[in-house]
Each structure stands twice: as C-alpha cells, then as structure tokens.
Amino acid sequence: LDDARVLQAPDLARVVVGVDPSASSSGDACGIVVAGSTRDRHLYVLDDLTVQASPEAWARAVVTAYYKYKADRVIAEANQGGEMVTAVIQQVERNIPVKLVHATRGKAVRAEPVSVIYEQGRGHHVGTFPLLEDELCQWEPGDASPNRLDALVWAATHLLEPQGVLVGKARAAG
C-alpha cells in the first residue's frame, strides 16, 4: 500500500461511494468508502467514512460524501436490507442515484480481483486510512465481517470492471 500511496488524486473519470450497510446503530459499523478511477483503470481511494451509527445517520454520511466528492452514484450492498438501503439514503436526499449489488459468492472471491489491482500497482490511497488498511491487510476468511473492506470492494468492482459489471458472480439490481 505504501509504495502506491499518493498525496493527491489525478483527474478522475468516475467517483463512487461504496456502502456496506448496517441495520442498526448497535450492530456492525456501516462501511463507507469513497473511490475513483482514471481512464487507464487505476483505483484511487479518496476517503474512509465508516461509521457506527443508526441507518439514518449513516445515510446522512453517505449523502454528504456523495456531494463532497461529486460522486456519480452510490454502490450499496443489498444483502443487508435490500431496497431498504436505497429508501434510507433517498429519505435523506431523494435524487441520489443508488445501485444495489447482491453478493452471491464469498467475500474472499469478491475481493480477489480488487487485490490484483493492488498487486499490479494500480490501487492507490490518497493519504492514509489506518483502519481500512488494517482490514485490507489482516482480514482472513472466517474473521468478523470487514465493513470497510466490503465497501471498498463494491466501489472498486463497479469502477474497474467494464461498464460496472461485477466480478465474483455478484449481480447488480436496481
């Protein structure tokens, strides 16, 4: 991660907010990671805004990130709440474009293509994100759900696959 770290992102072709939602304020944290891509398919992680909060509070954080980073859309996992995820975000701001994605394969399978991006030197962090970076480097199958990692995988997969087609047999809805 350190070798590809940058202080500033170049001009980005696309920016999205990846979301691994939580159903309650006392459950898992809601993973919120902002990422962008260049035309030559490099990934830039712009922010980790993961929060332990109620659905209304994390939805506000998602909407704030969407506007702050001038994102194209929100990419949110639908396995934890389905259409409720879109509804909660759009209660805060009804015009936010949300694309729901469904995990149909394990986390390790979904994360593998993203790890290849990093191995190729095409994954860059704009600054440091200690908690996200710990999850990226330390998570192993069987460990507790990695909220930040999941949010990054959804964002990166959408940005780097042709026309946002998801890898790992995940399918898009909405």
Side-chain angles (χ1 to χ4, degrees):
L1 294 175
D2 288 334
D3 290 343
R5 192 177 313 279
V6 297
L7 297 176
Q8 183 177 339
D11 287 336
L12 299 172
R14 299 171 59 208
V15 175
V16 298
V17 180
V19 181
D20 181 40
S22 61
S24 71
S25 59
S26 60
D28 290 339
C30 175
I32 305 170
V33 173
V34 182
S37 62
T38 56
R39 296 204 186 286
D40 63 353
R41 296 173 42 88
H42 278 246
L43 173 72
Y44 289 84
V45 176
L46 304 174
D47 213 343
D48 173 15
L49 300 165
T50 298
V51 295
Q52 179 77 40
S54 69
E56 179 185 356
W58 62 249
R60 289 190 186 286
V62 168
V63 169
T64 298
Y66 173 85
Y67 284 115
K68 177 180 179 181
Y69 289 96
K70 298 177 176 79
D72 304 309
R73 69 183 51 246
V74 172
I75 309 300
E77 182 177 325
N79 292 33
Q80 179 72 289
E83 293 177 5
M84 179 268 308
V85 174
T86 300
V88 170
I89 293 169
Q90 290 181 343
Q91 282 177 352
V92 174
E93 175 59 59
R94 70 183 188 126
N95 294 322
I96 298 289
V98 178
K99 181 174 187 170
L100 295 178
V101 290
H102 296 272
T104 59
R105 307 267 320 259
K107 291 179 192 299
V109 172
R110 291 192 312 271
E112 187 174 335
V114 177
S115 71
V116 169
I117 298 298
Y118 282 92
E119 289 171 4
Q120 294 172 342
R122 295 188 298 125
H124 311 277
H125 290 194
V126 182
T128 59
F129 307 104
L131 296 175
L132 170 63
E133 292 169 9
D134 284 350
E135 279 191 15
L136 293 176
C137 294
Q138 297 171 6
W139 184 82
E140 293 184 20
D143 288 353
S145 182
N147 312 79
R148 291 170 167 84
L149 184 153
D150 281 350
L152 172 59
V153 166
W154 293 125
T157 300
H158 181 79
L159 289 167
L160 298 174
E161 282 296 299
Q163 284 109 39
V165 175
L166 300 177
V167 296
K169 301 287 187 197
R171 72 187 153 87

